[in-house]
Every structure is written in structure tokens, then in C-alpha cells.
Amino acid sequence: MFKIGCHLSSAGGYLAIGQTAKSIGANVFQFFTRNPRGGAAKPIDPQDVAAFNAFAAENSIGPILAHAPYTLNAAAAVESIRAFAHATMKDDLQRLEATPGALYNFHPGSHVGQGTEKGIELITGLLNDILSPAQSTTVLLETMAGKGSEVGGSFEELAQIISRTEVDAKLGVCLDTCHIWDGGYDIASNLDKVLEDFDDIIGLKRLKAIHLNDSMNPLAAHKDRHAQIGKGKIGLDALAAVVNHPLLRTLPFYLETPCDLDGYRAEIALLKSVRN
Ligand code: FE
Ligand code: FE
Ligand code: ZN
């Protein structure tokens, strides 16, 4: 089954977001666990989440992908920012137990001048503090574009984080096509080689989700500006090859393109039309 969907607003609660997904032809979706700029999460309404779980089962919707706030930075230099990262991820994972089998994506972090090695040490510290073998959610490190002091702009950095995490059974990677393109991985002319490298360095068994985005910028720009599918520098043919690739096609794909609902509906239809 082609698992395709997009980022949706969670303002109306779980059932509403599931219904919206279905209405635009999506069978997966991503949402923010709370305001992406930080702050407290809305309490979960047990009735709403139960109704959503039934709706999702009925309509084969899932896995759902929760995105951590952008302000979550375990690699920060300031202690209170690191403490926010720990508290937020812990709370998010607790809440996600209401929707078993979910994915939780986060940006590994920015080392803000402390150096990549220190950044990796702090991010690993977060994961070792939080991950538990009992949780049902799989936590995903997002591949980053490598802008500023971002950690996770190369497969090697992600591999180091994973290898230094003790409880790693529930740890995976979300590959963002715009980010790795901007990071210098040429998925347009050499997708097979990029996947070979991913497998050698991280291991394809860690790959659990794809953020499917075109990029406004050329290869290796280290910018991170998403474009609509087929309207950027990666192009429709290359993104069609991503959704059809034998090593990727069973993964869930989540669009994070600059689109309104109608735009997402059209992109999902377009991708279904190129899926073979
Ligand atoms: Fe992200
Ligand atoms: Fe992304
Ligand atoms: Zn991005």
C-alpha cells in the first residue's frame, strides 16, 4: 500500500485531523505535538483520541508522525534550554502512548558553537535519558540540511548518535529529501548511491519515514527551503523515483511542502499518479 500524506494542523484534535487527512486522499499525516515555537501541549481528550484510534483503524490510517517543536534543542549551550528539551520529549512520548505505534520526529539539535562532538554527546545524553524499551513510539532523528551549527547534516553524524545511544531499539531515522539534497546528497542523479551510503553508514533498517519535499535551492546549498513537488531543484522525476524505489516504497511518505489543503490534495493525487 502507498502510504502518503502531509503535515496537517492539529488544532481541531485527533479525530478532526484524521478526517481531514482522509478528505485529501492521505492515509498518513504529520502534526506538531504542541506549538512548534515551544510552550505547553494541550491536554489529550480521551474521547477524541479513542474516536480517532477507531477511525484510523477503520480507514487504514497510520503510522502517524508527531513532530517535536523546533525549539527542542538538546545540544544547546544553555542548561535551561536543554532541560526544556528533556521535559518536552518526555511529555510528548508519554502523550503519544495514547496512539500506540506512532513515530516521533525531532531535529537532533544545533551545537551553537560548542562543536559537533559536544553536540552529539548532548543529543545522546537526551536519548539515553528518555528512551525506554517499554515505549510503543519509535523516535526518529531527522536528516538535516546542515545549516548553521545543525547536527545531523551527514549520515555519519546520525550514525554516531545512534551508536552511542544505549536503548536503541525504538530509535530510527526520518529522511527529508529537501534536507539531504541541500546537505549534498544527490538523490536526483544518483539515488542508488545515496541509499547505498545510507545503508553502509546508518543501516537501512533504521529508516522509518520519508519527508517528501522538493527544494528551492541547488544541491549542497545547506539552506533548507522546501518547494512544492516538481517545482524545485530536485524535480518530479527524481521524487517519483524516491516513492517508487524498491528500498523505500513501503515506507510512509509525508509532504512538508508550502501548500494549503487543496495544494496538498493535488500533490497527493500527483504522487499517486506517478506511483507504479
Ligand atoms: Fe523537521
Ligand atoms: Fe522535514
Ligand atoms: Zn526543512
PDB file of all heavy atoms in Angstrom, residues 30 67 70 105-107 142 144 176 179 211 256, ligand 1:
ATOM      1  N   GLN A  30       1.451  14.004   9.394  1.00  0.00           N
ATOM      2  CA  GLN A  30       2.341  14.514  10.433  1.00  0.00           C
ATOM      3  C   GLN A  30       1.660  15.683  11.122  1.00  0.00           C
ATOM      4  O   GLN A  30       0.863  16.403  10.511  1.00  0.00           O
ATOM      5  CB  GLN A  30       3.655  14.976   9.806  1.00  0.00           C
ATOM      6  CG  GLN A  30       4.605  15.656  10.802  1.00  0.00           C
ATOM      7  CD  GLN A  30       5.936  16.036  10.184  1.00  0.00           C
ATOM      8  OE1 GLN A  30       6.894  15.285  10.235  1.00  0.00           O
ATOM      9  NE2 GLN A  30       5.999  17.216   9.583  1.00  0.00           N
ATOM     10  N   HIS A  67       5.718  15.601  15.152  1.00  0.00           N
ATOM     11  CA  HIS A  67       6.953  16.374  15.001  1.00  0.00           C
ATOM     12  C   HIS A  67       7.171  17.188  16.271  1.00  0.00           C
ATOM     13  O   HIS A  67       6.293  17.921  16.718  1.00  0.00           O
ATOM     14  CB  HIS A  67       6.850  17.287  13.779  1.00  0.00           C
ATOM     15  CG  HIS A  67       8.166  17.855  13.308  1.00  0.00           C
ATOM     16  ND1 HIS A  67       8.989  18.585  14.130  1.00  0.00           N
ATOM     17  CD2 HIS A  67       8.804  17.784  12.111  1.00  0.00           C
ATOM     18  CE1 HIS A  67      10.082  18.946  13.452  1.00  0.00           C
ATOM     19  NE2 HIS A  67       9.997  18.460  12.218  1.00  0.00           N
ATOM     20  N   TYR A  70      10.319  23.006  17.098  1.00  0.00           N
ATOM     21  CA  TYR A  70      11.639  23.425  16.588  1.00  0.00           C
ATOM     22  C   TYR A  70      12.545  23.908  17.710  1.00  0.00           C
ATOM     23  O   TYR A  70      13.766  23.901  17.574  1.00  0.00           O
ATOM     24  CB  TYR A  70      11.467  24.571  15.581  1.00  0.00           C
ATOM     25  CG  TYR A  70      10.722  24.191  14.334  1.00  0.00           C
ATOM     26  CD1 TYR A  70       9.728  25.022  13.821  1.00  0.00           C
ATOM     27  CD2 TYR A  70      11.021  23.011  13.652  1.00  0.00           C
ATOM     28  CE1 TYR A  70       9.042  24.684  12.666  1.00  0.00           C
ATOM     29  CE2 TYR A  70      10.332  22.672  12.495  1.00  0.00           C
ATOM     30  CZ  TYR A  70       9.343  23.512  12.003  1.00  0.00           C
ATOM     31  OH  TYR A  70       8.660  23.187  10.872  1.00  0.00           O
ATOM     32  N   ASN A 105       9.306  12.463  15.382  1.00  0.00           N
ATOM     33  CA  ASN A 105      10.462  13.007  14.678  1.00  0.00           C
ATOM     34  C   ASN A 105      11.000  14.251  15.393  1.00  0.00           C
ATOM     35  O   ASN A 105      10.232  15.117  15.792  1.00  0.00           O
ATOM     36  CB  ASN A 105       9.992  13.388  13.266  1.00  0.00           C
ATOM     37  CG  ASN A 105      11.052  14.092  12.452  1.00  0.00           C
ATOM     38  OD1 ASN A 105      11.961  13.453  11.948  1.00  0.00           O
ATOM     39  ND2 ASN A 105      10.933  15.400  12.301  1.00  0.00           N
ATOM     40  N   PHE A 106      12.316  14.330  15.549  1.00  0.00           N
ATOM     41  CA  PHE A 106      12.875  15.572  16.095  1.00  0.00           C
ATOM     42  C   PHE A 106      14.161  15.952  15.373  1.00  0.00           C
ATOM     43  O   PHE A 106      14.845  15.110  14.808  1.00  0.00           O
ATOM     44  CB  PHE A 106      13.078  15.476  17.616  1.00  0.00           C
ATOM     45  CG  PHE A 106      14.306  14.694  18.050  1.00  0.00           C
ATOM     46  CD1 PHE A 106      15.406  15.348  18.596  1.00  0.00           C
ATOM     47  CD2 PHE A 106      14.353  13.311  17.924  1.00  0.00           C
ATOM     48  CE1 PHE A 106      16.532  14.635  19.017  1.00  0.00           C
ATOM     49  CE2 PHE A 106      15.478  12.592  18.328  1.00  0.00           C
ATOM     50  CZ  PHE A 106      16.560  13.260  18.881  1.00  0.00           C
ATOM     51  N   HIS A 107      14.446  17.262  15.367  1.00  0.00           N
ATOM     52  CA  HIS A 107      15.703  17.757  14.812  1.00  0.00           C
ATOM     53  C   HIS A 107      16.769  17.481  15.863  1.00  0.00           C
ATOM     54  O   HIS A 107      16.615  17.920  17.008  1.00  0.00           O
ATOM     55  CB  HIS A 107      15.613  19.254  14.534  1.00  0.00           C
ATOM     56  CG  HIS A 107      14.582  19.609  13.493  1.00  0.00           C
ATOM     57  ND1 HIS A 107      14.312  20.900  13.116  1.00  0.00           N
ATOM     58  CD2 HIS A 107      13.766  18.824  12.732  1.00  0.00           C
ATOM     59  CE1 HIS A 107      13.369  20.891  12.164  1.00  0.00           C
ATOM     60  NE2 HIS A 107      13.022  19.647  11.939  1.00  0.00           N
ATOM     61  N   GLU A 142      15.832  13.359  12.490  1.00  0.00           N
ATOM     62  CA  GLU A 142      15.628  13.848  11.123  1.00  0.00           C
ATOM     63  C   GLU A 142      16.968  14.196  10.488  1.00  0.00           C
ATOM     64  O   GLU A 142      17.833  14.804  11.120  1.00  0.00           O
ATOM     65  CB  GLU A 142      14.703  15.074  11.137  1.00  0.00           C
ATOM     66  CG  GLU A 142      14.423  15.607   9.723  1.00  0.00           C
ATOM     67  CD  GLU A 142      13.270  16.602   9.654  1.00  0.00           C
ATOM     68  OE1 GLU A 142      12.644  16.893  10.679  1.00  0.00           O
ATOM     69  OE2 GLU A 142      13.011  17.074   8.524  1.00  0.00           O
ATOM     70  N   MET A 144      19.270  16.448   8.502  1.00  0.00           N
ATOM     71  CA  MET A 144      19.208  17.910   8.422  1.00  0.00           C
ATOM     72  C   MET A 144      19.996  18.445   7.219  1.00  0.00           C
ATOM     73  O   MET A 144      20.807  17.734   6.629  1.00  0.00           O
ATOM     74  CB  MET A 144      19.731  18.526   9.723  1.00  0.00           C
ATOM     75  CG  MET A 144      18.961  18.086  10.981  1.00  0.00           C
ATOM     76  SD  MET A 144      17.149  18.257  10.860  1.00  0.00           S
ATOM     77  CE  MET A 144      16.978  20.044  10.825  1.00  0.00           C
ATOM     78  N   ASP A 176      14.630  13.404   5.144  1.00  0.00           N
ATOM     79  CA  ASP A 176      13.966  14.539   4.496  1.00  0.00           C
ATOM     80  C   ASP A 176      14.669  14.793   3.167  1.00  0.00           C
ATOM     81  O   ASP A 176      15.868  15.112   3.138  1.00  0.00           O
ATOM     82  CB  ASP A 176      14.049  15.762   5.426  1.00  0.00           C
ATOM     83  CG  ASP A 176      13.262  16.957   4.898  1.00  0.00           C
ATOM     84  OD1 ASP A 176      13.456  17.329   3.730  1.00  0.00           O
ATOM     85  OD2 ASP A 176      12.462  17.523   5.677  1.00  0.00           O
ATOM     86  N   HIS A 179      16.224  18.237   2.782  1.00  0.00           N
ATOM     87  CA  HIS A 179      17.397  18.427   3.648  1.00  0.00           C
ATOM     88  C   HIS A 179      18.625  17.699   3.120  1.00  0.00           C
ATOM     89  O   HIS A 179      19.715  18.273   3.109  1.00  0.00           O
ATOM     90  CB  HIS A 179      17.095  17.945   5.067  1.00  0.00           C
ATOM     91  CG  HIS A 179      16.037  18.752   5.767  1.00  0.00           C
ATOM     92  ND1 HIS A 179      15.586  18.438   7.021  1.00  0.00           N
ATOM     93  CD2 HIS A 179      15.345  19.848   5.373  1.00  0.00           C
ATOM     94  CE1 HIS A 179      14.659  19.316   7.375  1.00  0.00           C
ATOM     95  NE2 HIS A 179      14.487  20.169   6.394  1.00  0.00           N
ATOM     96  N   HIS A 211      10.316  12.406   4.701  1.00  0.00           N
ATOM     97  CA  HIS A 211       9.721  13.716   4.474  1.00  0.00           C
ATOM     98  C   HIS A 211       9.945  14.028   3.004  1.00  0.00           C
ATOM     99  O   HIS A 211      11.086  14.209   2.580  1.00  0.00           O
ATOM    100  CB  HIS A 211      10.406  14.785   5.332  1.00  0.00           C
ATOM    101  CG  HIS A 211       9.943  14.829   6.747  1.00  0.00           C
ATOM    102  ND1 HIS A 211      10.639  15.502   7.730  1.00  0.00           N
ATOM    103  CD2 HIS A 211       8.837  14.314   7.343  1.00  0.00           C
ATOM    104  CE1 HIS A 211       9.983  15.393   8.878  1.00  0.00           C
ATOM    105  NE2 HIS A 211       8.891  14.671   8.671  1.00  0.00           N
ATOM    106  N   GLU A 256       5.903  18.004   3.325  1.00  0.00           N
ATOM    107  CA  GLU A 256       6.029  19.229   4.140  1.00  0.00           C
ATOM    108  C   GLU A 256       6.299  20.386   3.197  1.00  0.00           C
ATOM    109  O   GLU A 256       7.233  21.165   3.402  1.00  0.00           O
ATOM    110  CB  GLU A 256       7.204  19.133   5.103  1.00  0.00           C
ATOM    111  CG  GLU A 256       7.224  17.977   6.044  1.00  0.00           C
ATOM    112  CD  GLU A 256       8.492  17.968   6.877  1.00  0.00           C
ATOM    113  OE1 GLU A 256       9.596  17.896   6.313  1.00  0.00           O
ATOM    114  OE2 GLU A 256       8.367  18.053   8.105  1.00  0.00           O
TER     115      GLU A 256
HETATM  116 FE    FE B   1      11.547  18.808  10.609  1.00  0.00          FE
END
